[in-house]
């Protein structure tokens, strides 16, 4: 049994324990302890409690070895109250007991309790070991307690603890500093570790990636590959996720090629991440090819495809995947239902969205969340059935959140319903008067209706309250280098050339297509000429401008330019890119915060409603 468990086969241990039950050999404390641990590893609470019951009947529950395993089992199964109860009744508490309970608190999200127990443990004179420090540092990471973590680090140094040798503690230190935003300290600890394990590497690599230092992240990842350390599925999935978020196609393809060559690349989680990466980079064919080649697929695999196709506006194909997964005997979960409902709403498939929403509501195993209702509000809103959408919000069994009212307000703007827009806007401002998005949405709906005084009043309220919107940012990859732009950005070394090429294509669009700026998307308190300038420096236009500068304006025909934005694309930029795709004969693929837009020959895949 111990052999099976140590080699990661907990099921085999429990199976052998079951066979032992029909023999004449009686279990002892180590038999019970091993199989309680196996139950915890498998998160099999029913089996674990049955074995605990056997321990109670045979008197082994009072044995410290068994008691420690029971505390650990309940912790791993998320039953922290039962773990506490067992801990409080134990007659003998040793270091393993303390560690199991501290770790249990941390894993269950009760990090403060874990740190309090750590203090209590020291008061009892128990000397912590590497497992204690690993758990307490993780607790500090979760709480963002830089003070607590640095205190522990200081204690490790003054007590002469060999951090450079104990890789588990060193990895926890690196992870702690990364999560507290202290990359310099994280790197300092990392460089001192003699035998770096995969946890140390992955923590620092992801830290650099989260700080958008992608060059350093990639350099470290390449060093990890050369180091001989086994790269596990978690690292591969995490790195692929970074490339997906920033839509780094070339980097993503490199990691796919690398994953094929190593055993952990066969993990289903890795394949799911690579499929997701291709979809987020706009490479649908590559995603579909990899998906079809996967030897096994789980609910995450199918949900990833449904989500990706939905974001590309391919609602019918997304529905097809939803139906195929059930034929493949994979039951959709709540996230899958959310994905298919979102896909339907993005593609205007209102009948299909009503059908799948009805199925969800009738399924006793699932409970629709506010996000599912929000998809239905979006579908009804797109169809202009605003009153029906409002009635759904007011009568749904879950409490409406800010997002669902914002969805309805956005639909009011699209259909020009100022009266309902004002009513919904007032609800939003009562719910969250410190959210600048609500004021901007209200300001826009009044601007569209020509109520400039009210529009200006709302914008002044934002300034008076000191509220700030999330800055719009776009990026484009040119020759494997990512270039980021903010609205009005003039820091790029090619800024002058970018403005020259944008002015040139604007001139051609005006002559060939009669293009005019969407002035309603500009600031309302500046002169007309300044309005044109402010619209020209929107971040997505600057990113497109750089791509045109680098590739040559006259050599673009037939090419695909991919641009990515952290917020929703504005109406003027949407019209601009449509016109640009027509005069240059270029395909532009733009991923914004909600979906993909494929601009080709003057048309967009979203049908001008996104």
């Amino acid at each position: 049994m111990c052999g099976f468990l140590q080699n990661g086969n907990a099921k085999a241990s429990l199976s052998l324990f079951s066979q032992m039950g029909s023999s004449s050999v009686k279990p002892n404390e180590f038999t019970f302890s091993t199989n309680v641990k196996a139950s915890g590893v498998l998160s099999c609470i029913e089996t674990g409690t049955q074995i605990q019951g056997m321990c109670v009947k045979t008197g082994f529950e009072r044995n410290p070895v068994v008691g420690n395993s029971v505390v650990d089992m309940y912790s791993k199964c998320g039953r922290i109250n039962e773990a506490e109860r067992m801990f409080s009744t134990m007659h003998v508490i040793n270091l393993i007991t303390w560690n199991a309970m501290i770790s249990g608190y941390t894993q269950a999200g009760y990090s403060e309790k874990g740190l309090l127990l750590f203090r209590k443990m020291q008061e009892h004179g128990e000397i912590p070991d590497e497992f204690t420090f690993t758990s307490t540092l993780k607790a500090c990471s979760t709480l963002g307690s830089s003070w607590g973590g640095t205190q522990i680090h200081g204690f490790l140094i003054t007590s002469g603890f060999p951090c450079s040798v104990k890789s588990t503690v060193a990895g926890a230190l690196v992870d702690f500093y990364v999560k507290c935003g202290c990359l310099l300290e994280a790197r300092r600890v990392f460089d001192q570790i003699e035998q770096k394990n995969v946890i140390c590497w992955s923590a620092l690599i992801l830290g650099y990636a989260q700080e958008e230092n992608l060059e350093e992240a990639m350099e470290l990842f390449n060093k990890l590959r050369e180091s001989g350390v086994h790269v596990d599925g978690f690292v591969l999935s995490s790195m692929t996720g970074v490339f997906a978020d920033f839509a780094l196609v070339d980097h993503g393809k490199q990691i796919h090629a690398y994953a094929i060559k190593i055993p952990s690349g066969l993990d289903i989680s890795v394949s799911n991440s690579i499929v997701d990466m291709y979809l987020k980079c706009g490479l649908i064919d590559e995603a579909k090819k990899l998906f079809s080649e996967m030897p096994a697929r789980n609910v995450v695999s199918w949900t990833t495809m449904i989500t990706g196709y939905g974001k590309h506006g391919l609602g019918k194909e997304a529905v097809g995947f939803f139906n195929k997964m059930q034929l493949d005997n994979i039951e959709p979960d709540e996230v899958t239902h959310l994905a298919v409902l979102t896909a339907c709403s993005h593609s205007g498939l209102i009948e299909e969205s009503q059908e799948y929403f009805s199925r969800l509501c009738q399924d006793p195993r699932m409970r629709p969340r506010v996000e599912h209702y929000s998809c239905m509000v979006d579908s009804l809103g797109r169809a202009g059935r605003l009153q029906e959408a409002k009635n759904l919000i007011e009568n749904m069994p879950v409490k409406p959140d800010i997002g669902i009212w914002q969805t309805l307000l956005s639909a009011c703007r699209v259909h020009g319903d100022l009266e309902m827009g004002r009513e919904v806007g007032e609800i939003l401002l009562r719910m969250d008067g410190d959210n600048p998005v609500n004021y901007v949405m209200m300001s826009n709906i009044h601007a569209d209706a020509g109520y400039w005084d009210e529009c200006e009043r709302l914008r002044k309220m934002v300034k008076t309250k000191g509220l700030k919107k999330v800055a719009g940012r776009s990026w484009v990859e040119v020759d494997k280098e990512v270039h980021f732009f903010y609205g009005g950005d003039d820091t790029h070394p090619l800024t002058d050339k970018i403005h020259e090429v944008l002015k040139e294509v604007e001139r051609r669009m005006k002559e060939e297509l009669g293009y005019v700026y969407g002035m309603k998307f500009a600031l309302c308190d500046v002169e007309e000429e300044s309005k044109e300038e402010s619209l020209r420096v929107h971040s997505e236009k600057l990113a497109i401008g750089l791509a045109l500068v680098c590739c040559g304006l006259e050599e673009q025909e037939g090419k695909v330019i991919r641009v990515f934005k952290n917020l929703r694309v504005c109406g003027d930029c949407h019209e601009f890119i449509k016109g640009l795709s027509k005069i240059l004969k270029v395909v532009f693929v733009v991923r914004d915060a909600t979906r993909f837009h494929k601009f080709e020959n003057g048309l967009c895949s979203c049908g001008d409603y996104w």
Side-chain angles (χ1 to χ4, degrees):
M1 292 170 196
C2 284
F4 279 132
L5 187 60
Q6 287 168 7
N7 284 277
N9 195 345
K11 282 186 178 179
S13 176
L14 290 171
S15 175
L16 203 59
F17 178 67
S18 177
Q19 291 176 46
M20 181 182 178
S22 57
S23 75
S24 59
V25 181
K26 299 298 178 186
N28 63 10
E29 64 267 34
F30 301 108
T31 321
F32 285 126
S33 172
T34 299
N35 287 286
V36 169
K37 283 180 186 174
S39 303
V41 168
L42 296 170
S43 294
C44 190
I45 190 69
E46 294 83 3
T47 305
T49 50
Q50 282 178 6
I51 298 172
Q52 186 193 5
M54 293 170 67
C55 295
V56 172
K57 290 177 183 177
T58 54
F60 280 106
E61 192 188 36
R62 291 177 175 270
N63 187 289
V65 174
V66 175
N68 291 340
S69 298
V70 171
V71 171
D72 182 63
M73 181 269 294
Y74 279 127
S75 297
K76 283 189 168 71
C77 293
R79 299 291 185 89
I80 200 66
N81 292 333
E82 285 89 336
E84 274 182 334
R85 197 174 298 121
M86 185 68 203
F87 179 83
S88 64
T89 59
M90 289 178 65
H91 297 285
V92 179
I93 295 178
N94 57 24
L95 179 58
I96 296 170
T97 324
W98 290 104
N99 282 347
M101 198 65 232
I102 292 169
S103 174
Y105 277 132
T106 304
Q107 290 171 3
Y110 296 98
S111 296
E112 288 182 355
K113 282 189 172 184
L115 292 175
L116 286 171
L117 196 63
F118 173 57
R119 186 179 299 170
K120 192 175 178 182
M121 166 188 165
Q122 291 174 300
E123 290 169 359
H124 277 69
E126 197 72 61
I127 298 172
D129 65 0
E130 59 185 291
F131 300 106
T132 324
F133 290 125
T134 302
S135 294
T136 50
L137 284 167
K138 185 179 178 183
C140 292
S141 301
T142 305
L143 293 170
S145 174
S146 56
W147 179 81
T150 49
Q151 272 205 324
I152 293 171
H153 191 188
F155 175 79
L156 289 167
I157 294 168
T158 55
S159 63
F161 192 88
C163 289
S164 60
V165 178
K166 297 290 186 180
S167 57
T168 52
V169 177
L173 269 171
V174 172
D175 184 61
F176 156 72
Y177 279 123
V178 164
K179 285 178 178 167
C180 289
C182 306
L183 274 177
L184 285 174
E185 287 83 351
R187 186 60 185 260
R188 196 174 294 123
V189 173
F190 177 83
D191 289 339
Q192 291 171 355
I193 303 170
E194 292 178 15
Q195 293 292 325
K196 298 175 177 64
N197 62 15
V198 73
I199 298 169
C200 310
W201 284 100
S202 61
L204 192 60
I205 290 168
L206 294 176
Y208 279 117
Q210 285 157 10
E211 291 292 317
E212 296 177 8
N213 190 341
L214 301 177
E215 186 178 344
E216 192 66 45
M218 274 308 296
E219 186 179 331
L220 269 176
F221 181 69
N222 290 331
K223 285 181 179 177
L224 166 61
R225 288 165 57 180
E226 295 164 4
S227 70
V229 173
H230 170 68
V231 180
D232 62 12
F234 173 77
V235 177
L236 286 174
S237 298
S238 300
M239 285 302 296
T240 308
V242 170
F243 301 147
D245 289 340
F246 289 99
L248 304 177
V249 179
D250 290 335
H251 290 88
K253 287 182 176 179
Q254 282 179 28
I255 208 164
H256 184 191
Y258 174 64
I260 291 169
K261 301 172 187 175
I262 60 174
S264 56
L266 297 171
D267 292 359
I268 195 167
S269 61
V270 175
S271 297
N272 289 342
S273 296
I274 296 172
V275 168
D276 183 55
M277 179 272 299
Y278 279 129
L279 287 167
K280 285 180 176 173
C281 290
L283 304 176
I284 297 180
D285 291 340
E286 285 85 342
K288 187 177 181 181
K289 182 175 183 293
L290 177 57
F291 178 81
S292 65
E293 292 171 353
M294 288 172 66
R297 306 182 193 104
N298 58 15
V299 68
V300 176
S301 316
W302 289 96
T303 302
T304 300
M305 290 296 285
I306 295 165
T307 302
Y309 271 71
K311 284 187 179 292
H312 282 273
L314 302 170
K316 289 186 178 178
E317 290 84 347
V319 167
F321 278 109
F322 185 78
N323 293 330
K324 283 177 189 174
M325 76 177 284
Q326 292 169 87
L327 294 174
D328 207 34
N329 294 320
I330 303 290
E331 284 297 318
D333 59 15
E334 291 176 355
V335 180
T336 318
H337 277 93
L338 183 61
V340 76
L341 289 172
T342 303
C344 289
S345 70
H346 279 174
S347 301
L349 303 175
I350 189 161
E351 289 183 7
E352 289 85 345
S353 64
Q354 287 177 317
E355 177 190 343
Y356 292 121
F357 184 69
S358 177
R359 282 194 208 173
L360 173 65
C361 292
Q362 291 169 10
D363 192 330
R365 297 167 298 176
M366 285 179 276
R367 185 176 297 175
R369 303 196 306 262
V370 68
E371 293 86 356
H372 298 103
Y373 283 95
S374 190
C375 286
M376 288 309 301
V377 168
D378 188 47
S379 290
L380 292 168
R382 287 173 187 272
R385 293 155 64 173
L386 300 177
Q387 191 58 53
E388 200 174 332
K390 187 168 181 287
N391 292 340
L392 179 62
I393 296 175
E394 291 173 340
N395 295 300
M396 65 187 192
V398 293
K399 186 179 179 182
D401 64 1
I402 294 162
I404 198 168
W405 286 114
Q406 287 176 339
T407 300
L408 181 56
L409 183 58
S410 180
C412 290
R413 183 188 180 190
V414 169
H415 294 286
D417 193 330
L418 179 61
E419 185 180 346
M420 184 180 289
R422 281 175 168 166
E423 190 180 338
V424 173
E426 286 173 7
I427 292 169
L428 273 168
L429 294 182
R430 283 198 302 271
M431 289 178 72
D432 189 5
D434 291 328
N435 187 341
V437 173
N438 297 332
Y439 291 95
V440 172
M441 291 180 76
M442 282 293 292
S443 174
N444 289 339
I445 201 168
H446 281 94
D448 290 350
Y451 288 85
W452 293 105
D453 290 343
E454 183 61 17
C455 169
E456 185 61 21
R457 185 186 72 82
L458 287 160
R459 287 182 180 271
K460 281 181 178 177
M461 283 178 71
V462 173
K463 290 179 182 177
T464 304
K465 288 189 166 212
L467 306 177
K468 290 185 179 179
K469 275 180 66 181
V470 175
R473 184 181 65 167
S474 299
W475 61 96
V476 63
E477 187 176 4
V478 179
D479 295 330
K480 297 187 179 180
E481 185 179 355
V482 182
H483 300 262
F484 291 92
F485 293 91
Y486 287 91
D489 201 338
D490 61 358
T491 58
H492 197 280
L494 295 177
T495 292
D496 291 340
K497 290 185 177 180
I498 290 170
H499 283 283
E500 282 176 22
V501 79
L502 287 175
K503 285 178 181 176
E504 171 60 20
V505 294
E506 284 167 14
R507 182 190 64 75
R508 285 181 56 183
M509 284 168 63
K510 286 175 182 177
E511 290 177 359
E512 297 176 33
L513 306 175
Y515 166 76
V516 292
Y517 281 103
M519 290 301 186
K520 69 181 180 180
F521 300 103
L523 299 171
C524 58
D525 55 352
V526 295
E527 298 297 326
E528 292 300 306
E529 189 176 343
S530 297
K531 285 183 179 181
E532 290 194 6
E533 291 294 333
S534 73
L535 289 168
R536 185 178 298 126
V537 294
H538 279 195
S539 63
E540 52 267 61
K541 287 184 181 176
L542 295 174
I544 287 172
L546 177 67
L548 297 176
V549 167
C550 293
C551 301
L553 194 56
E554 302 305 321
E555 302 172 13
Q556 297 292 334
E557 189 169 335
K559 289 189 176 180
V560 177
I561 293 176
R562 303 176 194 279
V563 174
F564 309 89
K565 185 171 181 179
N566 66 328
L567 302 176
R568 182 178 177 272
V569 172
C570 89
D572 174 69
C573 289
H574 196 267
E575 288 302 307
F576 173 83
I577 303 169
K578 276 168 60 179
L580 203 57
S581 71
K582 186 160 189 174
I583 66 164
L584 297 181
K585 305 291 188 292
V586 171
V587 175
F588 292 94
V589 178
V590 179
R591 188 186 85 189
D592 70 7
T594 58
R595 63 176 297 152
F596 275 87
H597 303 261
K598 186 178 182 182
F599 299 90
E600 191 170 11
N601 196 29
L603 299 172
C604 180
S605 59
C606 75
D608 295 343
Y609 185 27
W610 69 101

